[in-house]
Amino acid sequence: DVQLQASGGGLVQAGGSLRLSCAASGFTFDGYAIGWFRQAPGKEREKVSCLNYDGRTYYVDSVKGRFTITGDNTENTVHLQMSSLKSEDTAVYYCAVDHSCGFPEALYWGKGTLVTVSS
């Protein structure tokens, strides 16, 4: 049974940092792309970052230079280090898996973790 568990969300002041983690069970990330998405209240879900199976990374423009995605194959976990957080980063963050960072249709979704940035 495949499960993706996102964790690390919380309340942080603007300018602060958080590290999100996406841990997989019943599945190995090797050979797949792992993406982080977010959905803020009243907004559509957007792809924030992605770690492709070949090591390439993707970031939406609004987080470039502030967020870093990394993978830990030994732990079968992907992390999203978020720094210089802004109030507009407030959202529920989800991790997902697909064959590539294009994400036409995710294979698996994890439950979200809430990030709240206070100004």
Side-chain angles (χ1 to χ4, degrees):
D1 200 27
V2 175
Q3 287 191 344
L4 298 178
Q5 182 65 50
S7 62
L11 174 63
V12 63
Q13 288 189 332
S17 299
L18 282 175
R19 189 174 84 152
L20 305 184
S21 298
C22 178
S25 58
F27 179 83
T28 178
F29 286 142
D30 193 24
Y32 291 89
I34 300 89
W36 282 98
F37 295 74
R38 67 186 179 188
Q39 187 165 21
K43 294 189 177 181
E44 292 190 354
R45 185 174 62 202
E46 70 168 343
K47 185 169 59 181
V48 175
S49 180
C50 183
L51 176 62
N52 207 16
Y53 59 87
D54 60 3
R56 288 180 296 171
T57 56
Y58 161 86
Y59 299 95
V60 69
D61 285 346
S62 60
V63 308
K64 284 180 180 177
R66 301 189 297 120
F67 290 10
T68 303
I69 189 169
T70 55
D72 185 338
N73 287 337
T74 60
E75 299 275 338
N76 209 31
T77 300
V78 171
H79 302 288
L80 184 68
Q81 178 68 46
M82 306 186 297
S83 303
S84 302
L85 284 162
K86 305 175 181 179
S87 57
E88 51 263 43
D89 295 317
T90 295
V92 178
Y93 285 71
Y94 303 86
C95 60
V97 174
D98 202 354
H99 294 293
S100 71
C101 283
F103 271 91
E105 186 83 26
L107 295 172
Y108 305 108
W109 285 96
K111 293 182 180 179
T113 185
L114 177 63
V115 172
T116 304
V117 184
S118 63
S119 56

